[in-house]
Amino acid sequence: ALPISVVRESASALSPRSGRILIADDDRSNRNLLRRCLEMEGHQVVEAASGVQVLEALREGHCDLLLLDIVMPEMDGFQTLARIRRESAWKDLPVIMISAFDELSSVIHCIGMGAEDYLSKPFDRVLLRARVDASLEKKRLRDAERRKTNELERALQLLERAQEQLAMKASQDALTGLANRHSLSAHLEERIQANRSFSIVYIDLNGFKKINDTYGHHAGDHLLREVGARLRSSFRSSDLVGRWGGDEFVAVVDADLAQLSNAASRIADSLSRTIAIPAGDDECHVTVAAAVGVATWKPGDKVSEVFQRADTNMYRAKPQD
């Protein structure tokens, strides 16, 4: 005869779909019998002699299946099963009830409480193997389905984040992070559809070309980023501020011309502080001014006409080089 360790190793090699099984029975001889049968099938076995020990064993480590006797001290099978089903970590743990022949009504009650199956004493090895294998297979299928569901949810979350990032990139100016021209145009169309008045603030930097030509495009880009940040802080969070193109910026605000009388001064104040830009291996400090034009859209106006008025007002304020 082969040594027990060799027999167990061979059985385990023949049972790649084995599991970790917890046996709960206050009768040591029943536990020993079940352990031998299960280990011969390649399963790893943990023992408990009471319901309290079952809960301790589940807290200490993962189990794939619980064989639970109905009649036990401290906590019987009913109480133990109820506690297990209340815990989110164990609610899907398959449980096979162990019962005597005269406890069928109790078994039916346990199955109603969420038990997977039952085994009658004395144990039939063929029936034991079949019901253990069936319970473990169901658990594997449930676990695989849960993993696929979790993977799908993670993939959907990644897709949603990617779509949000793409939408943000599609609506943002790559250099300044402000709204781009496409986003501003779409916002204006929405405002027109809402048929509610709004104002356009058109901003054009003075002397930007000279700075760009003198210090290079890298310095010019740095300047535009800083100007964009300062313009954003000059308006309310409910206002949409964007880069229309080149060194031109547009803000769409909920205010009329009277309320925007201080807009030009706020913008001028925000740009009055010097801006450090790279100049070769060093940096230099420059200031920029801006021409500001304001126009209000009212129901019935064409948005192009409002832009034209704002553009005209802007160039009136812009010094001629």
Side-chain angles (χ1 to χ4, degrees), residues 191-198 254 297-299:
R191 298 299 300 266
I192 292 170
Q193 292 296 324
N195 204 34
R196 191 175 70 246
S197 64
F198 59 90
D254 283 312
W297 179 90
K298 295 181 180 179

Side-chain angles (χ1 to χ4, degrees), residues 236-265:
R236 299 167 300 184
S237 59
S238 58
D239 300 329
L240 181 64
V241 184
R243 184 182 177 205
W244 194 246
D247 60 347
E248 297 179 343
F249 297 84
V250 169
V252 183
V253 299
D254 283 312
D256 56 26
L257 290 177
Q259 293 171 311
L260 285 172
S261 59
N262 295 323
S265 60

Side-chain angles (χ1 to χ4, degrees), residues 50-59 66 68 72 74-93 95 97 109-110 113-115:
S50 67
V52 173
Q53 291 182 14
V54 167
L55 300 180
E56 292 174 353
L58 291 176
R59 293 190 189 102
L66 169 61
L68 179 62
M72 291 189 300
E74 296 182 84
M75 289 177 59
D76 61 22
F78 299 114
Q79 295 169 317
T80 305
L81 180 60
R83 283 287 301 276
I84 289 171
R85 289 298 178 247
R86 285 201 299 268
E87 297 287 339
S88 59
W90 307 331
K91 64 184 181 64
D92 293 328
L93 174 68
V95 178
M97 303 306 300
H109 179 62
C110 289
M113 293 173 62

Side-chain angles (χ1 to χ4, degrees), residues 36-74:
R36 288 195 298 273
C37 293
L38 294 171
E39 288 182 340
M40 287 293 290
E41 297 296 329
H43 301 292
Q44 181 184 357
V45 177
V46 181
E47 295 185 23
S50 67
V52 173
Q53 291 182 14
V54 167
L55 300 180
E56 292 174 353
L58 291 176
R59 293 190 189 102
E60 290 174 359
H62 167 78
C63 284
D64 298 304
L65 175 64
L66 169 61
L67 301 185
L68 179 62
D69 190 20
I70 291 180
V71 180
M72 291 189 300
E74 296 182 84

Side-chain angles (χ1 to χ4, degrees), residues 4-33:
I4 292 178
S5 60
V6 176
V7 172
R8 288 178 181 170
E9 184 178 348
S10 300
S12 180
L14 294 173
S15 306
R17 302 175 71 81
S18 58
R20 189 169 189 265
I21 301 176
L22 173 58
I23 301 170
D25 195 317
D26 61 326
D27 189 312
R28 181 184 295 273
S29 62
N30 285 339
R31 296 201 307 272
N32 289 339
L33 175 60

